[in-house]
Amino acid sequence: MWALPLTLAACLLAGGRAYFFESGYTHHYTYKAENDLLGQGNITTILKFQVSAVNETENGHRLHSLTVDSLVQFMKGGPVMNNPHGWDLTKTFLFVVDDTGGVRLVHCHPEDHEELLVIKKAMVSVFSVHVKIKYDEKEWVYKAEETDHLGRLEHSYRAQRTATGLKLERNFSSFDDAHRFHEKTLHYDHHGTLHKAETKDRVHLKDRLPPPEKT
């Protein structure tokens, strides 16, 4: 299970397009992930990273760079370890956001560590949403087909205007080869700035053992 709270301060609807990162600025964020795998205990990862807009394409997509500034990990009751695996944090990670807010492409450095790339992709996936704003409604729902690490999926959205801005929820569940549950909640202020994001992903593998023989 992943629980990924992310504190953000970035422009969402700049010029009518769903961009999180205002051009010309370097945006600094803190990312926290709690991972519980097969009863091995909770491993908490905290990263400080920055994102900058690089350029915009003719079709309205925007390229961004992500750089990790620091990384610490610890288990419950254990010591806090600063970059315990000695990963090179200087490798640049690039990703593209389209004009609806979805992350469409990532570019990885060929020498970046595989496990660190998994974390970077998880961070970028937090930003990926399909934005539909209804200015004359206080609450609305919609569905959108999006592509992520599980393939092409249909997500359900619920948007709600709040006293501080806008709350956007995205959900998905599947029971095909495993029980998969995805929840994402994003909070925006009245200016369209993403203030906080939290995602929860759970995967429960189905029992593949054959049924016991009857005697």
Side-chain angles (χ1 to χ4, degrees):
M1 179 180 71
W2 286 90
L4 313 176
L6 181 65
T7 302
L8 306 170
C11 183
L12 172 67
L13 298 174
R17 290 176 174 171
Y19 295 138
F20 295 110
F21 314 105
E22 189 174 356
S23 182
Y25 294 88
T26 299
H27 305 271
H28 297 266
Y29 310 121
T30 299
Y31 165 95
K32 179 182 178 183
E34 295 178 358
N35 185 16
D36 185 5
L37 291 175
L38 301 177
Q40 297 179 5
N42 291 329
I43 300 176
T44 299
T45 301
I46 300 176
L47 294 93
K48 292 186 181 297
F49 67 101
Q50 54 183 283
V51 174
S52 300
V54 178
N55 58 42
E56 185 175 337
T57 63
E58 293 181 355
N59 59 1
H61 296 186
R62 183 175 288 179
L63 178 68
H64 302 83
S65 67
L66 181 152
T67 304
V68 177
D69 296 320
S70 64
L71 179 152
V72 298
Q73 290 181 313
F74 58 91
M75 296 184 66
K76 185 177 181 180
V80 176
M81 296 173 288
N82 182 25
N83 192 11
H85 303 289
W87 294 332
D88 183 356
L89 304 181
T90 64
K91 305 299 184 185
T92 300
F93 182 89
L94 302 174
F95 64 99
V96 175
V97 177
D98 66 19
D99 58 356
T100 65
V103 175
R104 295 302 180 204
L105 178 70
V106 298
H107 178 76
C108 311
H109 193 285
E111 297 179 359
D112 214 343
H113 193 279
E114 182 177 354
E115 189 173 347
L116 182 57
L117 285 177
V118 171
I119 297 175
K120 289 180 179 179
K121 290 177 181 179
M123 290 191 297
V124 168
S125 71
V126 176
F127 302 131
S128 187
V129 292
H130 187 93
V131 179
K132 288 185 179 180
I133 300 296
K134 292 187 177 181
Y135 295 97
D136 56 346
E137 300 286 345
K138 290 186 177 180
E139 185 172 341
W140 62 97
V141 296
Y142 60 94
K143 295 182 181 294
E145 284 195 357
E146 300 168 85
T147 302
D148 63 11
H149 61 286
L150 295 177
R152 191 71 176 172
L153 304 173
E154 183 179 69
H155 292 106
S156 298
Y157 282 88
R158 177 179 297 275
Q160 180 182 12
R161 298 196 182 278
T162 65
T164 56
L166 179 70
K167 177 182 178 181
L168 185 64
E169 298 175 323
R170 187 179 84 165
N171 295 278
F172 167 80
S173 61
S174 172
F175 301 91
D176 296 333
D177 55 341
H179 294 176
R180 304 177 187 272
F181 305 90
H182 166 79
E183 300 173 357
K184 181 188 294 188
T185 304
L186 307 102
H187 299 271
Y188 307 95
D189 66 16
H190 291 293
H191 301 287
T193 300
L194 184 58
H195 175 67
K196 183 179 180 181
E198 182 177 4
T199 72
K200 295 180 180 179
D201 291 280
R202 301 184 299 276
V203 178
H204 301 284
L205 300 179
K206 292 183 178 180
D207 187 357
R208 298 182 180 274
L209 295 177
E213 295 183 1
K214 295 182 179 180
T215 58

